[in-house]
Amino acid sequence: MRKQRTIYFNDARHYYLFVFEPPMRLEDAWMPVDEVAGTAVDTFVYGVSRADGLFYPSRIGRMFGDDLRPFQHVHEWRSWENMQSLIARGLDPLTVLIDRAHEKGMDFIASLRMGGYGGMAPEHALNNGGRGFVHPEVRDHQKAVLKELATRYAVEGVELDFAASPGGCPFWLRAEDVSEYTPVTTDFVRETAEIVRGRQGGPACIGARVYPTEELNLKTGLDVRTWLREGLVDFLVPMLYLDFVLDANMPVGWLVEAAHEHDISVYGMLQPYCSDESRRFNTAANATAAMMHAAAANFRELGVDGLYTWFLPWPLDESGRSLLTQLGDADLVREADKHYFLRRRCDAADEYDYGASLPLEIASPDPKRYCQIPFNIADDPENDRIRSIRLRIGVSNLVTADRLEIRLNGAVLDDRSSRRSPIRSRDPYAGQLLEFDLEDVRPRKGRNVLEVSLQERPPGFEGGIVVEDVEIFVEYGTFPTSYPASFEPSAGK
């Protein structure tokens, strides 16, 4: 049965066990839960593993840090000592969080990475030359850990994190084993579901992090449609772990439609960043509230059953808590200011990236060539509360003497009316930002197509341009911009 949720994830490490100085106070141990309590977050998901260990005293797997002593790095030492300081007081670090989540009215779901199983036959891991889930003992080990989480702890559910690969842990299958062992992976999910749902005291839910496209899931051995058809999962979260950049246009409509046919939930992943270090002169920066609103609205338009996010600026301040409250209410987001931006290709993910329109290279002038950039927006431009809609396009290697033609849904935008500014402050010569007020030509709710053509370059300049950024700003006002057609103000007496 589908369930609406607003979910916050903590990975146990960066903003928790890596940070606090041991011995850990209970106030510190409660922090991941307490910092989101009182917002719209009703489900707390905790990443209980890294590829090399578990962040709780498991009776099945190795606790993180057990094989690293004497420690060489501060985060390893802190993690181990913080967990041990709670254990020495008779407290299970995982139970402390579960109990706190329940005190604050939240469900607790334990998330386990599927490609990492520290301490259990490391030679079976793909990064050590092994074959992962091909080895029965690997599958048995992971099932045993998931059973432990579902039966030894009072969790509301478990999450099978397949999407942590690449970047967070190895894959569970080699590429050459995918075809033969995809059914085996499905059997693993099926058997785990039976264990989790059949636990004593009542069933727990089972979910999975998967990839945004069906092609990527099948490429890695995840037959998601079979999972849905057989009802093996209660929820899915499509994402790519290696790319932390928010994507308001993530192509997950197929998954929402397929899941809802079988009454299974899909939660839209709001990645935390608007930029990262992969691009010259850029650093990791968190998405603004307006960017989050835009992505949340687009996901809602696809029909997701809730939103899932993590890694907001830490420690969470009032702006972060306010955002988490807004994300739980579609009505609050509907007429909030929005900043849509198009995601760029994630080169680090290589063949596991799910694709993006940017950056878009136009190698040379060609008046007949128009390059298309599709995007979606959830706002209705006919809404009379909208004060303005602006389009901003970042183009590198562009000079003012270039002649561009830019079309929005077939309508030509007047390039001469655009406001121009440097593309970046660090290298202002590298390109230009073109900003348009979309008054006469407006986007439409849903799918839009931007077209860019390099018509002509000045004499002696033959190089190409690259469209680097496309952004849409939607600003709402308190009052309508005009009277409704059916309303006639009465004359005062």
Side-chain angles (χ1 to χ4, degrees):
M1 180 184 298
R2 288 161 55 189
K3 182 171 183 177
Q4 289 286 327
R5 294 183 185 271
T6 303
I7 303 170
Y8 198 76
F9 174 84
N10 187 290
D11 74 351
R13 296 172 285 138
H14 294 83
Y15 298 148
Y16 188 40
L17 294 175
F18 284 3
V19 177
F20 294 107
E21 295 290 359
M24 182 169 257
R25 306 177 307 154
L26 273 178
E27 290 81 3
D28 297 334
W30 292 332
M31 176 66 79
V33 171
D34 286 1
E35 66 185 1
V36 299
T39 70
V41 173
D42 53 31
T43 305
F44 181 79
V45 178
Y46 188 63
V48 299
S49 67
R50 202 170 78 164
D52 51 357
L54 298 163
F55 295 100
Y56 71 97
S58 173
R59 297 169 184 168
I60 307 297
R62 181 176 64 204
M63 193 163 76
F64 176 81
D66 195 29
D67 61 329
L68 301 176
R69 295 174 288 171
F71 299 106
Q72 305 297 312
H73 302 286
V74 63
H75 63 278
E76 297 167 349
W77 177 81
R78 280 197 185 123
S79 296
W80 177 263
E81 292 297 333
N82 277 326
M83 288 189 287
Q84 292 300 323
S85 71
L86 294 173
I87 293 168
R89 283 175 274 168
L91 300 172
D92 184 309
L94 186 54
T95 299
V96 167
L97 282 172
I98 295 169
D99 289 347
R100 191 62 170 179
H102 293 164
E103 287 175 23
K104 297 297 183 177
M106 298 180 215
D107 285 350
F108 189 103
I109 295 176
S111 181
L112 181 71
R113 293 184 175 182
M114 289 294 96
Y117 23 86
M120 199 293 300
E123 66 275 10
H124 290 338
L126 266 66
N127 57 343
N128 291 326
R131 298 177 69 188
F133 270 31
V134 169
H135 305 286
E137 52 267 52
V138 169
R139 304 194 302 273
D140 291 343
H141 174 84
Q142 293 294 70
K143 274 187 292 186
V145 173
L146 289 162
K147 179 180 180 179
E148 176 181 59
L149 290 168
T151 59
R152 180 179 156 200
Y153 293 96
V155 300
E156 278 66 46
V158 296
E159 179 183 79
L160 283 57
D161 186 0
F162 288 101
S165 311
C169 64
F171 284 96
W172 47 95
L173 290 173
R174 302 182 308 171
E176 54 266 42
D177 289 326
V178 164
S179 178
E180 180 179 357
Y181 283 89
T182 291
V184 173
T185 304
T186 300
D187 287 341
F188 169 84
V189 177
R190 184 183 295 113
E191 292 161 7
T192 301
E194 291 173 358
I195 292 169
V196 170
R197 291 169 175 167
R199 70 176 181 176
Q200 188 174 4
C205 71
I206 177 171
R209 291 188 181 191
V210 296
Y211 300 105
T213 68
E214 186 167 19
E215 177 187 10
L216 276 179
N217 284 301
L218 292 173
K219 181 177 182 176
T220 55
L222 308 181
D223 186 1
V224 172
R225 286 195 186 270
T226 295
W227 302 0
L228 296 174
R229 186 174 63 252
E230 296 187 19
L232 304 184
V233 292
D234 299 295
F235 69 86
L236 293 171
V237 182
M239 65 172 292
L240 181 68
Y241 175 83
L242 198 59
D243 185 6
F244 284 20
V245 175
L246 179 69
D247 186 3
N249 291 274
M250 189 184 291
V252 298
W254 72 276
L255 184 60
V256 175
E257 181 180 355
H260 287 183
E261 286 179 4
H262 302 284
D263 205 22
I264 293 169
S265 300
V266 176
Y267 302 118
M269 170 56 81
L270 299 176
Q271 291 283 41
Y273 293 166
C274 61
S275 66
D276 59 24
E277 298 92 340
S278 64
R279 185 176 171 188
R280 179 175 168 82
F281 294 143
N282 279 255
T283 58
N286 277 89
T288 66
M291 292 171 176
M292 287 289 204
H293 293 157
N298 268 3
F299 277 126
R300 293 284 190 190
E301 283 296 309
L302 290 176
V304 297
D305 301 284
L307 299 167
Y308 189 127
T309 191
W310 68 309
F311 243 56
L312 295 184
W314 191 86
L316 279 181
D317 58 15
E318 284 308 306
S319 63
R321 290 175 53 81
S322 175
L323 175 62
L324 291 176
T325 297
Q326 295 160 9
L327 293 178
D329 190 329
D331 292 330
L332 289 178
V333 171
R334 184 173 295 112
E335 292 194 355
D337 291 350
K338 300 186 184 68
H339 179 180
Y340 298 89
F341 70 95
L342 269 62
R343 169 186 177 269
R344 295 164 61 88
R345 282 189 296 277
C346 179
D347 292 334
D350 198 17
E351 70 267 30
Y352 297 99
D353 187 19
Y354 58 88
S357 297
L358 301 180
L360 173 64
E361 182 178 2
I362 302 177
S364 60
D366 183 349
K368 297 181 180 180
R369 183 188 180 202
Y370 289 82
C371 299
Q372 294 190 341
I373 304 172
F375 65 90
N376 282 43
I377 68 169
D379 300 270
D380 182 358
E382 300 303 315
N383 186 334
D384 63 6
R385 301 285 174 174
I386 292 178
R387 183 188 306 182
S388 69
I389 303 179
R390 292 178 291 125
L391 168 68
R392 189 165 69 191
I393 306 173
V395 186
S396 60
N397 209 37
L398 181 72
V399 297
T400 305
D402 287 323
R403 189 162 65 87
L404 293 178
E405 184 164 295
I406 300 172
R407 299 174 179 174
L408 178 58
N409 299 325
V412 177
L413 303 180
D414 185 359
D415 179 39
R416 295 169 298 178
S417 69
S418 64
R419 295 184 294 274
R420 295 179 180 241
S421 56
I423 194 168
R424 286 182 296 269
S425 60
R426 288 288 299 274
D427 55 342
Y429 52 85
Q432 298 183 355
L433 294 173
L434 283 65
E435 188 165 328
F436 300 85
D437 291 319
L438 300 180
E439 295 293 339
D440 299 324
V441 178
R442 285 201 160 188
R444 52 184 170 236
K445 182 176 181 179
R447 189 175 189 274
N448 294 265
V449 177
L450 187 71
E451 295 176 285
V452 180
S453 174
L454 179 58
Q455 299 277 300
E456 187 179 2
R457 308 220 77 171
F461 193 13
E462 296 183 352
I465 61 173
V466 179
V467 181
E468 306 277 6
D469 303 285
V470 174
E471 303 168 86
I472 301 92
F473 301 83
V474 181
E475 182 182 2
Y476 284 83
T478 302
F479 303 109
T481 54
S482 62
Y483 285 119
S486 60
F487 178 76
E488 293 183 6
S490 58
K493 293 185 178 180

